[in-house]
Amino acid sequence: MSSNDRLTRWVQEVARHCQPDRIHWCDGSKKEYDRLMVEMVARGSAIPLRKRPNSFLFRSHPSDVARVEDRTFISTPSRDDAGPTNNWVAPDELKATMWALYEGCMRGRTMYVIPFSMGPLESPMAKIGVEITDSPYVVCNMEIMTRVGTRVLQAIEEGADFIPCLHSVGAPLAPGQDDVPWPCAPMEQKYISHFPQENLIWSYGSGYGGNALLGKKCLALRIASAMARREGWMAEHMLILRLVSPEGRQYHIAAAFPSACGKTNLAMIQPTIPGWRAETLGDDIAWMKIGPDGRLYAINPESGFFGVAPGTSYKSNPAAMDTLCGNVIFTNCALTDDGDIWWEQMTDEPPAHLIDWRGEDWTPERDKPAAHPNARFTAPTSQCPLISSDWEKPEGVPIDIFIFGGRRATVVPLVHEAYDWDHGVFLGATAASETTAANIGAVGNLRRDPFAMKPFCGYNMGDYFQHWFDMGDRLGDKAPRIFYVNWFRKSPEGRWLWPGYGENSRVLKWMCERVDGKVEALDTPIGRMPRMDDLNLTGLDIPPEDLRELMRVDVEAWRAEANDIEKHFAQFGDRLPKRLERQLRQFQIRLG
Ligand code: SAT
Ligand code: MN
């Protein structure tokens, strides 16, 4: 029991209402983790992997396989404060609905209390949360993804503030009722709710990823973005990467791409250009604050990777594969006959037989994937062979470059640079990407996903755009340079035009040279682009016509984009900053 009154009262109130059989305060120890895993193996919800030390496979309920944006709510007193890109229900109404669902929802289960820190505890930027959950799977994932334990509890007892995060899978057990491997509630009972005015998170009905590991998207992005605006810092959906030139000069890059668009791969890039190397600092979230020297400093608030498994291989991301050597939780991957995991593209040839993510026999003739497209690994950041020795530096690292992007088969070229900060905010605000399996819903539809924050912004996105302008004003000439990339452009026949992965270092190198003022660029209607000679393509075998297509600015297509951007902006009404309207007008003038 904690001596902090607020925490004690909250835990007692939740316990009285949710009626768990018992309460367990998590200490974050290895012993605790191991014991929970043993219990989950015994109950049939975890499968130990013979081939990977201390690693386990979980199979979710087939309906509970990704974030549920339709069931995610930003509950501010006024609808306008949540804005047009968020689902909204008034706080009183939402709380009444959910409180009714929470009644008795933990019967037959243990209620776990998880004190956790986002960011190293000694960092001035760290934030503390306490998650209450009835899912031991969530506890083990949180113990990898965040810093859990008694030290955090101590900090709370010494007066540190905390963000309460309440979670239930929403599947109470009647006396004597057998549990299922993956308990969860039906879709219409799922709620992922945020009350930014009071720094509160309530999640009900799902056990998967960002729906349930409340430190990640709920706290570190939705609640943190609202806090960041109030307090003058930034909480962004960005990887953090250090690039080191042959001369030893360091560049820090923060890059925002929507879920399942390659953040983990870029965070662990192994440059193919001789002499350049990279270090990983984070793969999903960056918290950034202006430092004493006026530059923008970033920390990674997480301590684990919750990465998309399919597509990860020794070819695409060797560092991720090495990170997965042991101590990993796999969710919805396929199981091999010798007790290891497999997923699409992990190897050139699929194994002859597998048990697929639904637990059914699978052979390569099956036309369904063996691993779910949103199958995930949860692995400790510290196991990444490319991890920077500075990844837990309390003050963070100074950011030189921002990158935005997404998946676009057409229109958007490999790289362009913003003319200035305001134009960069325009590029972020208009970012678009084809949808992926990270959310439940259609895959491959183009949608505007400003700053890759559409599903994660905890307040009105129009105000968020203004916050970016305000930060730029404060940073002045110390602001990071802003670029936009598209690694995913295809030929009219549907071939990838760019090899991606380690070869993306060629584009990053050009950005660094732009920062250092070493190379000129070509002004185009959409921004500044590399002169062909400045992009190091030595050793790449890309046909010249492919390169031309990759770099082509199709003015007609961009005029259509501009029309679409007008519609996109219109939804924000008078919350749209005038500076963005001006950017759009200038863009239209440049397009002629
Ligand atoms: O939100 S999750 O953590 O489930 C994954 C993602 O969408 O990036
Ligand atoms: Mn993400």
Side-chain angles (χ1 to χ4, degrees), residues 216-217 237 259 263 284 456:
K216 193 174 180 61
K217 307 299 186 179
H237 191 204
S259 303
K263 281 198 299 299
D284 197 38
F456 308 119

